[in-house]
Amino acid sequence: MRKLYMRVKKLIMLMVLPQLLTLLGCKPKTMYGNNPEAGRYYQINGIKMYVEEYGSGKPLLMIHGNGGDMSAFAENVPYFAKKYRVILADSRAQGKTVDASDSLSFEQMADDFAVLLDTLKVPKAYVIGWSDGGINALLMAMRHPDKVIKLASTGANIWPDSTALDPQGWKQSEKYYNQNKNRAWKTPKAKNDWKIFMLDWTQPNIKLSQLQQIKCPALIIAGDHDVIVDKHTRLIQSNIPGSQLWIVHNSGHGTLIEHARKFNKKVDEFFEK
């Protein structure tokens, strides 16, 4: 199952992240997601959510992508922690945050992050979201507008089909779904992996009219050869009032890793403006 699951393009970057960082010569000294000095669990909407915090100052929530964990931000945390209170969280059913339920939704996760901020006594925060985390950032701005100061969303889509995602990758996902839709998963890990796969197969389902309700400043980002179709990224940005668009040249889905230095500076300038 894992081998087929890994073939879905949107997930590859997240699964090979540690190896990629090593190849780029930027393996982090701090093992984000496995730092007992910084990590804590919080009771959030019926689950134990794993959270690590770094730095001090204005609160900044970072939300990772599908099947990943907070280590996705290894090249971003050191920069932002110099002047922000960086809040890293493993999303529901991912990383160290276990969720035994049989279903999952982006709306549910966005609500989790809002409750997390309340639990941490953070009235509102800046938000950076990558991939599925970018979707969560958008949904937080829609469902909990009082919680988001500004957001930067990179590699997000608002519906699940070949007009939003790379058509070839979508066909691979379709093949995997058809091969396994009637399969009875036996282990907790296999059941959870299927649940995570189904999240991106059936969701999100965000209407353009919902995007138009976002009031906070938003920076919409994608690579120029992202797994998110360029036209779809531009559609998202054009429907968020007053938002900005940044298409990162010579970048795939992992804008925040492939061009970390430029990404950090650009997003920071957007937050400070």
Side-chain angles (χ1 to χ4, degrees), residues 102-122:
D102 59 3
S103 62
L104 186 64
S105 75
F106 284 107
E107 289 78 9
Q108 186 180 31
M109 288 191 286
D111 293 348
D112 287 344
F113 293 118
V115 172
L116 174 63
L117 293 181
D118 283 339
T119 302
L120 296 176
K121 301 188 184 307
V122 175

Side-chain angles (χ1 to χ4, degrees), residues 12-33:
I12 290 177
M13 180 67 70
L14 299 170
M15 295 301 180
V16 301
L17 181 61
Q19 294 88 341
L20 176 63
L21 291 174
T22 300
L23 289 172
L24 293 175
C26 53
K27 191 171 182 178
K29 294 180 180 179
T30 302
M31 296 304 294
Y32 301 108

Side-chain angles (χ1 to χ4, degrees), residues 9-78:
K9 279 191 175 182
K10 189 177 179 183
L11 306 181
I12 290 177
M13 180 67 70
L14 299 170
M15 295 301 180
V16 301
L17 181 61
Q19 294 88 341
L20 176 63
L21 291 174
T22 300
L23 289 172
L24 293 175
C26 53
K27 191 171 182 178
K29 294 180 180 179
T30 302
M31 296 304 294
Y32 301 108
N34 191 29
N35 184 356
E37 295 182 2
R40 283 191 60 186
Y41 284 93
Y42 295 91
Q43 291 291 339
I44 304 293
N45 290 339
I47 60 172
K48 288 174 62 178
M49 177 174 278
Y50 181 70
V51 178
E52 292 182 5
E53 294 191 55
Y54 298 89
S56 62
K58 296 171 288 188
L60 168 58
L61 174 66
M62 295 183 174
I63 310 175
H64 65 80
N66 187 295
D69 58 40
M70 63 179 66
S71 67
F73 297 101
E75 290 305 302
N76 315 110
V77 175

Side-chain angles (χ1 to χ4, degrees), residues 156-167 227-230 232-233:
N157 58 295
I158 58 172
W159 51 68
D161 62 24
S162 60
T163 69
L165 301 165
D166 170 64
V227 298
I228 307 300
V229 175
D230 182 77
H232 189 74
T233 298

Side-chain angles (χ1 to χ4, degrees), residues 110-159:
D111 293 348
D112 287 344
F113 293 118
V115 172
L116 174 63
L117 293 181
D118 283 339
T119 302
L120 296 176
K121 301 188 184 307
V122 175
K124 58 178 65 177
Y126 295 88
V127 180
I128 295 176
W130 176 29
S131 196
D132 280 17
I135 299 169
N136 283 318
L138 296 175
L139 279 167
M140 280 189 72
M142 291 179 236
R143 296 171 68 85
H144 307 279
D146 58 322
K147 294 294 183 187
V148 183
I149 302 171
K150 292 184 178 184
L151 70 86
S153 171
T154 183
N157 58 295
I158 58 172
W159 51 68

Side-chain angles (χ1 to χ4, degrees), residues 67 85 91 99 106 109 114 146 162 185 272:
R85 174 188 175 185
S91 299
D99 173 25
F106 284 107
M109 288 191 286
D146 58 322
S162 60
W185 305 103
E272 290 285 3

Side-chain angles (χ1 to χ4, degrees), residues 1-6 8 11 15 66-68 92-95 97 99-104 132 176-177 180 183 185-201:
M1 174 207 174
R2 172 61 62 183
K3 186 174 181 181
L4 287 171
Y5 181 54
M6 290 276 287
V8 183
L11 306 181
M15 295 301 180
N66 187 295
R92 179 182 286 262
Q94 297 161 80
T97 302
D99 173 25
S101 65
D102 59 3
S103 62
L104 186 64
D132 280 17
Y176 179 70
Y177 171 74
N180 293 279
R183 184 171 176 175
W185 305 103
K186 296 181 180 180
T187 67
K189 183 180 184 303
K191 292 177 181 178
N192 195 75
D193 286 346
W194 179 250
K195 179 171 65 175
I196 294 298
F197 170 80
M198 287 300 295
L199 175 69
D200 277 2
W201 176 249

